[in-house]
Amino acid sequence: MSSRNGPVPRARLTARVGTAQVTVTACGFSFDEAQNAARDLLHTMRGLERAVANGPPPALPGDRVLSLADFTPDTDDEDEDGRAACSGVLTRAIGAVSGLPYAVPAEIVLPPLSTDRALVGTAHGTPGAGLAGRAVADVLATDIVVRWWRRPRPVLARLPARPLLPDDTVAALAGQGLEVEAYTWTNLPFTTVLAVVHAGGGAAAGFGAAVGPDPRAALRGAFLKAQTARSASGGAPGETGIAPWPTARVLAAWCSGPAHLELLHGHVRDGGAGLGEGASDWVEQAYRRFGHEPLIASWTAPDGGTVVRALCPGAAIYAPVPAARPACPV
């Protein structure tokens, strides 16, 4: 089902994933873009469901072994919530740079489908069509926001959003009484944008994070994720319309409230936005950021396409955000 309601085209599809009837929502700057995004999300979910049901491909003798500690190096050993119990099952993933096989805990490769991290760093499509880069880019964007949310610092700058969005989108937003805020990090070597779409005062705000080769691309990616969060939830915080799948961090987006905006506003630095380089090789950027090559696990989806998950040892997505502040919106 597609809709012209709202500031951007929206596609909503309902289908069976495993034993559950699932409805997913996606937005785009065209109806085709929204429809394709919704289909990709459904195929991704079906591919992951199949991988869980069939069991991940086992690691082989000689594969380089990584432990849970390699993925959460900053988590205290005493933090029981920070490192999930390891079943001892190892599955195979391939180094995105070296092409070498790794043995990785199954809990990292295929987290429970009910958790926030189930869809982070995943992509669906045709092999060789930039799937690994798309998946790694999602991990990068999510890691940057989660890491900042743990230790907020005044390294954010406001990015003028409306000049970088299509004119018809800007007009539709104004007609709906919606506001768009965008923030970028001043201390990163590549452009990262956190976009917020809300109805004024931060009520029922949708958040989305994305990296991109330039501010326009990063903002548009983040904006679509934020608008998807609002559209999927109907404006209700914490809901995404993807039950029984995670109610947060779906497509690196979440619907939340004024407390999140207040935290952002309190850490904006004066001066222009630091937009970083025109980077587009996200595998290389992740290697530099985390000090380890990204790993790629892949499966065949029921539609015959490929589902990949990017794994980045050291990324902040594998450990929880402290509960003392508003929950991280991505």
Side-chain angles (χ1 to χ4, degrees):
M1 176 180 67
S2 296
S3 173
R4 292 184 180 272
N5 297 326
V8 296
R10 180 188 70 186
R12 178 166 289 175
L13 302 176
T14 300
R16 185 164 295 280
V17 177
T19 60
Q21 193 76 1
V22 174
T23 298
V24 300
T25 301
C27 293
F29 292 113
S30 70
F31 285 101
D32 284 346
E33 183 180 6
Q35 193 82 1
N36 288 338
R39 287 184 181 133
D40 277 344
L41 181 53
L42 269 179
H43 290 318
T44 297
M45 295 165 69
R46 284 171 165 166
L48 294 175
E49 180 78 28
R50 172 187 278 185
V52 169
N54 295 341
L60 300 177
D63 291 355
R64 180 181 176 185
V65 178
L66 296 180
S67 68
L68 285 174
D70 291 313
F71 286 86
T72 56
D74 298 328
T75 304
D76 294 334
D77 290 331
E78 297 81 12
D79 186 353
E80 295 181 358
D81 293 328
R83 288 186 182 146
C86 183
S87 64
V89 176
L90 297 177
T91 186
R92 173 171 272 205
I94 304 299
V97 176
S98 68
L100 297 175
Y102 286 78
V104 182
E107 292 81 3
I108 295 294
V109 178
L110 284 172
L113 301 182
S114 60
T115 64
D116 290 348
R117 195 168 55 81
L119 292 170
V120 174
T122 60
H124 167 272
T126 304
L131 288 185
R134 282 166 45 196
V136 171
D138 188 49
V139 174
L140 273 172
T142 309
D143 169 79
I144 288 161
V145 180
V146 170
R147 197 175 296 274
W148 182 88
W149 217 267
R150 286 181 179 176
R151 299 180 181 88
R153 294 177 293 154
V155 295
L156 297 177
R158 291 185 186 271
L159 180 68
R162 292 180 182 262
L164 300 175
L165 293 173
D167 292 341
D168 56 348
T169 299
V170 171
L173 288 167
Q176 294 275 324
L178 295 176
E179 299 180 16
V180 183
E181 298 183 24
Y183 302 87
T184 186
W185 274 254
T186 61
N187 62 337
L188 295 176
F190 51 87
T191 303
T192 307
V193 172
L194 177 66
V196 190
V197 181
H198 61 90
F207 284 68
V211 296
D214 54 57
R216 178 179 177 274
L219 171 63
R220 290 188 175 200
F223 168 79
L224 287 180
K225 291 176 180 180
Q227 186 58 28
T228 292
R230 293 192 82 258
S231 297
S233 68
E239 298 295 334
T240 62
I242 305 182
W245 288 70
T247 56
R249 295 183 202 152
V250 174
L251 294 176
W254 195 33
C255 198
S256 45
H260 296 78
L261 274 185
E262 292 172 6
L263 184 60
L264 287 172
H265 294 167
H267 291 85
V268 175
R269 66 181 297 176
D270 296 329
L275 299 175
E277 305 170 354
S280 59
D281 187 338
W282 304 119
V283 170
E284 178 184 356
Q285 293 296 332
Y287 204 158
R288 292 179 181 179
R289 180 170 178 82
F290 303 121
H292 193 291
E293 67 174 323
L295 314 179
I296 303 297
S298 63
W299 306 271
T300 300
D303 72 321
T306 297
V307 173
V308 303
R309 181 187 296 282
L311 310 167
C312 295
I317 65 173
Y318 305 108
V321 177
R325 58 182 65 95
C328 180
V330 300

